[in-house]
Amino acid sequence: MTVVIAIILINCSIYITSNLVIYFFKYDFGGAGWQGSYTLFNTFGGAVQILAMMILFPVLRKFMSTTKVFYTSFAMAILGYASLIVIAFCTSMSNVYILFIPGFFIFGANGMLSVLTTVFLANTVDYGELKNNRRDESVIFSMQTFVVKLASGIAALIAAVCLSVFNISEDTEAVANVAGSSVIGLRLTMTIIPIIGLLIAILVFKKKFILTDEKVAEISEQIGRNK
């Protein structure tokens, strides 16, 4: 349940940003070529996410335990959101490449967190076998699909409420009609709420999660002896 709650909070935080980022580019970043900038940013983010899963995670894992990599990923994501706030409020955002800075941290963290939550779920299978004398892989891993969809739904609801509250229209002709307060609300929704969600996830995980690398090794040894 600890891992499930963490997955919901992590994915909900990331999905809120991904649902609103197109409106950020359209109404905040703006400009005639905002579509191209949006596509370039998403392409960069997707590449960073994949590289983080394939390269950055294995590299960090050589020097850190899985839980330390987990907390490092949280720190990266929060740093990314913090830098996005600074860039949005303190610069003119005239160049899309400056947004690659928060994009690197947020997408890179998301890639590693995706790997880590799967690893932690796998570890709970062994823990469950030790406690209940049965392996429930199908039930446990089916939960991952469910909670991802649940987080996606929650994030979509929050994004829809944001657009409604701040009077942001999907109409392409309404760009000039978006007020400054609406833009500020959009910025805060796609940064502050995810930061809060990630911080709650950290607190829940730190308080309840017990399957450290040492504990997992101990459980595997016990299961091996029982067999």
Side-chain angles (χ1 to χ4, degrees), residues 1-220:
M1 287 305 300
T2 300
V3 177
V4 165
I5 292 170
I7 292 173
I8 292 174
L9 290 168
I10 292 166
N11 287 340
C12 188
S13 299
I14 300 296
Y15 292 160
I16 288 172
T17 305
S18 62
N19 284 337
L20 292 176
V21 71
I22 188 170
Y23 299 96
F24 172 79
F25 273 92
K26 181 177 180 180
Y27 297 115
D28 197 351
F29 185 83
W34 71 266
Q35 296 97 330
S37 298
Y38 169 72
T39 301
L40 181 61
F41 178 80
N42 270 349
T43 302
F44 171 80
V48 168
Q49 186 169 338
I50 292 171
L51 291 174
M53 296 169 72
M54 296 176 62
I55 299 175
L56 185 57
F57 171 73
V59 169
L60 291 179
R61 186 65 185 84
K62 290 180 179 179
F63 306 101
M64 303 178 184
S65 66
T66 51
T67 49
K68 287 183 178 179
V69 177
F70 196 61
Y71 292 131
T72 300
S73 301
F74 275 112
M76 283 179 59
I78 293 171
L79 178 60
Y81 283 116
S83 63
L84 180 57
I85 293 173
V86 172
I87 290 170
F89 283 100
C90 300
T91 72
S92 61
M93 292 191 297
S94 57
N95 193 321
V96 68
Y97 294 105
I98 195 173
L99 295 176
F100 283 11
I101 298 172
F104 170 80
F105 289 109
I106 294 171
F107 284 103
N110 187 35
M112 290 196 294
L113 289 171
S114 297
V115 175
L116 285 161
T117 50
T118 303
V119 170
F120 292 147
L121 276 178
N123 291 341
T124 64
V125 174
D126 288 342
Y127 181 72
E129 181 179 1
L130 182 66
K131 291 292 183 179
N132 305 317
N133 295 316
R134 68 174 187 270
R135 293 182 69 84
D136 296 319
E137 293 102 328
S138 58
V139 174
I140 289 174
F141 282 103
S142 66
M143 284 294 294
Q144 187 175 26
T145 302
F146 169 74
V147 296
V148 167
K149 291 181 177 179
L150 176 61
S152 178
I154 295 172
L157 175 62
I158 293 173
V161 170
C162 167
L163 297 176
S164 176
V165 168
F166 297 111
N167 297 314
I168 298 176
S169 172
E170 297 183 10
D171 183 1
T172 55
E173 301 299 324
V175 177
N177 297 325
V178 177
S181 58
S182 297
V183 170
I184 292 174
L186 175 63
R187 292 176 181 176
L188 295 179
T189 302
M190 64 184 289
T191 54
I192 299 300
I193 292 180
I195 288 175
I196 293 172
L198 291 173
L199 289 175
I200 295 173
I202 292 173
L203 293 175
V204 171
F205 188 85
K206 188 173 181 61
K207 184 176 182 180
K208 296 291 185 179
F209 191 75
I210 63 171
L211 299 181
T212 62
D213 290 352
E214 294 78 12
K215 183 68 174 179
V216 170
E218 180 185 329
I219 290 171
S220 297

